[in-house]
């Protein structure tokens, strides 16, 4: 092998390897922090203020209150709609066939999620400055499922599968709680006509879904229409993403059994005299092409629209939308902070995540188990439950989003920056302490089990 090839192989392996979305999100955050604290800070803030314009048939799509959206507002109010749309698709699956599909399965993680929302809010209100600063009480109630699951996957040899399912379900319930809070407390100046048109569109989409309409393009067009009506109504636009997602059907027109039969039929009818190796010259007649196309169309119809949309959008959300969101929101200029000027707000946020979140999750879950005499799952015990609960304090994405809704960038920039500082420190410390604690508790438990076995 030539020296050049030896040098290129590691680079080729790196570029081919699938990059984890949490790594991309983390890198976007780091880049934003570096740029915002470098000589490029003015360019960074200029980028955030760039107006976004789109005029269709004389209608300014991205105008709100008569002004074009800035790139920052565009990221938060337009791009994040797709994030919440994917969240809504996941919630629908959990409600129909997942851990939220029955009261018995859902109760324990839902109770844990409620505790993980109540305790951080109470702790925030105890510490944060009085007055308008209290609008950010919901900031530390969120759990970032992507980061939590990334840590749990690294620690999978020490965390039982049942506890990973518990944390995943808890995060979904947590998302539902966050969505309700956004809808109830972060909407203002309601335009009832626009709200009614938006809800009527959602109802129409739900009716189409129940009638067997499974063309995903229809639901994407519906998402745009509902988003536009909600933008004008005063209801936050991300709620449009969730509501439309819940209207998407999860049924198919072709069952897996039917698809298997069709595939067998096509396989038997295709010519077997052709060269079977790939990358060889092949010629099919019209009937063969028609059969293959029929199989391809049937395969698409065998996948529920909910999962087709989730599969189509998840990559875009994870590797483009969320990194853009992190980049435009995480750029905190540390030079603006001094020990004399900083308020209690960042401490309220960070302690809400670091202490309120794990205490709420563990306490509510543990009391529920005691009161209901619920059986502990295999490999789950109080110490490990508390250790994993610490990871619930990683609240990056949704916490940042709620912070941007809580404090207007024009009116309360200092509070917004302090809240973001609290989110970053609270999430980072929760991740580090959670990782170390889960690892230590897991190794200790494995050592005990090994000693018992001997």
């Amino acid at each position: 092998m030539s020296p050049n090839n030896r040098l290129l192989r590691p680079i080729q392996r790196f570029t081919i390897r699938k990059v984890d979305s949490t790594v991309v999100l983390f890198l976007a955050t780091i880049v934003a922090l570096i740029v915002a604290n470098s000589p490029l800070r003015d360019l960074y803030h200029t980028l955030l203020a760039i107006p976004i314009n789109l005029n269709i048939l004389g209608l300014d799509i991205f105008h709100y209150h008569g002004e074009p959206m800035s790139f920052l507002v565009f990221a938060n109010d337009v791009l994040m709609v797709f994030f919440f749309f994917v969240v809504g698709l996941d919630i629908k699956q959990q409600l129909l066939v997942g851990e939220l599909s029955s009261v018995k399965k859902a109760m324990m993680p839902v109770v844990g999620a409620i505790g993980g929302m109540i305790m951080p809010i109470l702790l925030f209100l105890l510490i944060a400055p009085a007055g308008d600063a209290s609008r950010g009480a919901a900031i530390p109630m969120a759990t970032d499922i992507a980061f939590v699951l990334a840590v749990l996957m690294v620690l999978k040899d020490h965390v039982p599968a049942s506890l990973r399912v518990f944390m995943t379900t808890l995060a979904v319930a947590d998302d539902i709680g966050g969505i309700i809070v956004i809808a109830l407390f972060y909407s203002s100046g309601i335009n009832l006509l626009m709200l009614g048109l938006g809800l009527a569109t959602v109802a129409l989409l739900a009716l189409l879904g129940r009638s067997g309409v499974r063309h995903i393009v229809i639901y994407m067009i519906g998402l745009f229409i509902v988003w536009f009506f909600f933008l004008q109504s005063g209801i936050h636009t991300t709620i449009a993403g969730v509501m439309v997602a819940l209207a998407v059907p999860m049924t198919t027109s072709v069952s897996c059994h039917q698809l298997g039969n069709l595939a067998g039929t096509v396989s038997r009818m295709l010519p077997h005299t052709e060269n079977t190796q790939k990358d060889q010259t092949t010629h099919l007649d019209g009937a063969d092409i028609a059969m293959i196309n029929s199989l391809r169309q049937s395969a698409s119809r065998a996948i529920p629209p909910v999962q087709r949309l989730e599969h189509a959008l998840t990559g875009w959300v994870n590797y483009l939308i969320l990194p853009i969101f992190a980049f435009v929101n995480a750029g905190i200029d540390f030079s603006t902070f001094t020990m004399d000027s900083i308020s209690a707000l960042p401490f309220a946020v960070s302690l809400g995540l670091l202490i309120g979140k794990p205490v709420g999750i563990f306490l509510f879950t543990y009391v529920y188990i005691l009161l209901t005499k619920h059986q502990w799952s295999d490999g789950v015990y109080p110490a490990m439950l508390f250790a994993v609960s610490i990871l619930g304090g990683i609240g990056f994405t949704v916490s940042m989003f709620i912070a941007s809704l809580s404090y207007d960038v024009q009116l309360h920039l200092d509070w917004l920056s302090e809240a973001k500082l609290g989110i970053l420190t609270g999430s980072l410390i929760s991740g580090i302490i959670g990782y170390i604690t889960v690892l230590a508790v897991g190794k200790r438990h494995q050592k005990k089990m090994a000693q018992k076995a001997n």
Side-chain angles (χ1 to χ4, degrees), residues 58-208:
L59 185 65
D60 292 315
I61 302 300
F62 298 132
H63 273 226
Y64 184 56
H65 293 315
E67 297 290 334
M69 292 182 178
S70 65
F71 183 58
L72 174 62
V73 175
F74 176 80
N76 291 340
D77 289 5
V78 179
L79 296 184
M80 285 298 284
V81 173
F82 292 98
F83 167 75
F84 280 94
F85 182 64
V86 172
V87 169
L89 294 173
D90 184 46
I91 289 172
K92 174 140 190 175
Q93 294 175 72
Q94 292 291 335
L95 288 172
L96 293 180
V97 297
E99 292 297 314
L100 298 177
S101 59
S102 72
V103 174
K104 183 178 179 181
K105 288 194 294 183
M107 189 55 68
M108 190 169 77
V110 167
V111 169
I114 292 172
M117 289 185 277
I118 291 175
M119 294 300 287
I121 291 174
L122 293 177
L123 192 57
F124 178 97
L125 293 174
L126 285 173
I127 300 173
D132 290 343
S134 62
R135 279 184 55 82
I139 293 172
M141 65 175 274
T143 295
D144 194 310
I145 183 59
F147 279 109
V148 172
L149 289 185
V151 176
L152 289 178
M153 284 305 296
V154 173
L155 296 167
K156 62 182 180 180
D157 293 335
H158 303 280
V159 180
S162 57
L163 205 48
R164 295 200 298 270
V165 172
F166 168 80
M167 283 302 294
T168 303
T169 311
L170 182 144
V172 173
D174 196 275
D175 284 337
I176 295 173
I179 290 162
I180 293 171
V181 167
I182 291 170
L184 294 179
F185 300 104
Y186 295 101
S187 301
S188 59
I190 307 299
N191 183 321
L192 294 178
L193 174 60
M194 289 297 174
L195 176 59
L197 291 172
L199 293 176
T201 306
V202 172
L204 176 60
L205 292 172
L207 181 62
L208 291 174

Side-chain angles (χ1 to χ4, degrees), residues 418-435:
E418 289 183 0
K420 290 178 179 179
L421 178 63
I423 293 167
L424 290 176
T425 54
S427 297
L428 181 61
I429 296 173
S430 293
I432 294 172
I433 294 179
Y435 177 88

Side-chain angles (χ1 to χ4, degrees), residues 195-209 219 222-223 225-227 229-230 239-248:
L195 176 59
L197 291 172
L199 293 176
T201 306
V202 172
L204 176 60
L205 292 172
L207 181 62
L208 291 174
Y219 297 97
L223 175 62
I225 295 171
V226 176
W227 167 83
F229 283 141
F230 275 29
I239 304 302
V242 178
M243 294 187 73
V244 173
L246 295 177
V248 178

Side-chain angles (χ1 to χ4, degrees), residues 95-355:
L95 288 172
L96 293 180
V97 297
E99 292 297 314
L100 298 177
S101 59
S102 72
V103 174
K104 183 178 179 181
K105 288 194 294 183
M107 189 55 68
M108 190 169 77
V110 167
V111 169
I114 292 172
M117 289 185 277
I118 291 175
M119 294 300 287
I121 291 174
L122 293 177
L123 192 57
F124 178 97
L125 293 174
L126 285 173
I127 300 173
D132 290 343
S134 62
R135 279 184 55 82
I139 293 172
M141 65 175 274
T143 295
D144 194 310
I145 183 59
F147 279 109
V148 172
L149 289 185
V151 176
L152 289 178
M153 284 305 296
V154 173
L155 296 167
K156 62 182 180 180
D157 293 335
H158 303 280
V159 180
S162 57
L163 205 48
R164 295 200 298 270
V165 172
F166 168 80
M167 283 302 294
T168 303
T169 311
L170 182 144
V172 173
D174 196 275
D175 284 337
I176 295 173
I179 290 162
I180 293 171
V181 167
I182 291 170
L184 294 179
F185 300 104
Y186 295 101
S187 301
S188 59
I190 307 299
N191 183 321
L192 294 178
L193 174 60
M194 289 297 174
L195 176 59
L197 291 172
L199 293 176
T201 306
V202 172
L204 176 60
L205 292 172
L207 181 62
L208 291 174
R210 292 182 66 85
S211 301
V213 177
R214 301 180 181 89
H215 298 287
I216 60 176
V217 175
I218 291 176
Y219 297 97
M220 294 306 296
I221 294 172
L223 175 62
F224 170 76
I225 295 171
V226 176
W227 167 83
F228 182 78
F229 283 141
F230 275 29
L231 177 67
Q232 307 303 321
S233 74
I235 296 292
H236 199 272
T237 53
T238 52
I239 304 302
V242 178
M243 294 187 73
V244 173
L246 295 177
V248 178
M250 202 173 165
T251 58
T252 63
S253 57
V254 176
S255 69
C256 290
H257 178 71
Q258 291 172 321
L259 181 63
N261 289 339
L262 179 60
T265 301
V266 171
S267 176
R268 289 191 297 270
M269 295 182 67
L270 285 175
H272 294 276
T273 56
E274 296 286 339
N275 195 318
T276 57
Q277 295 183 356
K278 65 178 183 178
D279 298 327
Q280 298 293 322
T281 301
T282 302
H283 179 267
L284 298 173
D285 59 30
D288 296 335
I289 294 173
M291 283 191 295
I292 294 173
N293 281 333
S294 174
L295 180 60
R296 182 176 60 183
Q297 293 168 6
S298 297
S300 177
R301 293 198 298 270
I303 304 173
V306 165
Q307 292 181 289
R308 276 192 281 155
L309 281 167
E310 184 182 41
H311 179 75
L313 294 175
T314 296
W316 291 100
V317 168
N318 288 345
Y319 295 104
L320 180 64
I321 291 175
L322 287 181
I324 289 175
F325 170 81
F327 179 75
V328 301
N329 282 281
I332 305 170
D333 186 352
F334 293 115
S335 66
T336 61
F337 296 110
T338 63
M339 291 307 296
D340 295 332
S341 64
I342 197 167
S343 73
L345 182 60
F347 301 101
V349 173
S350 59
L351 292 177
L353 290 169
L354 181 60
I355 297 176

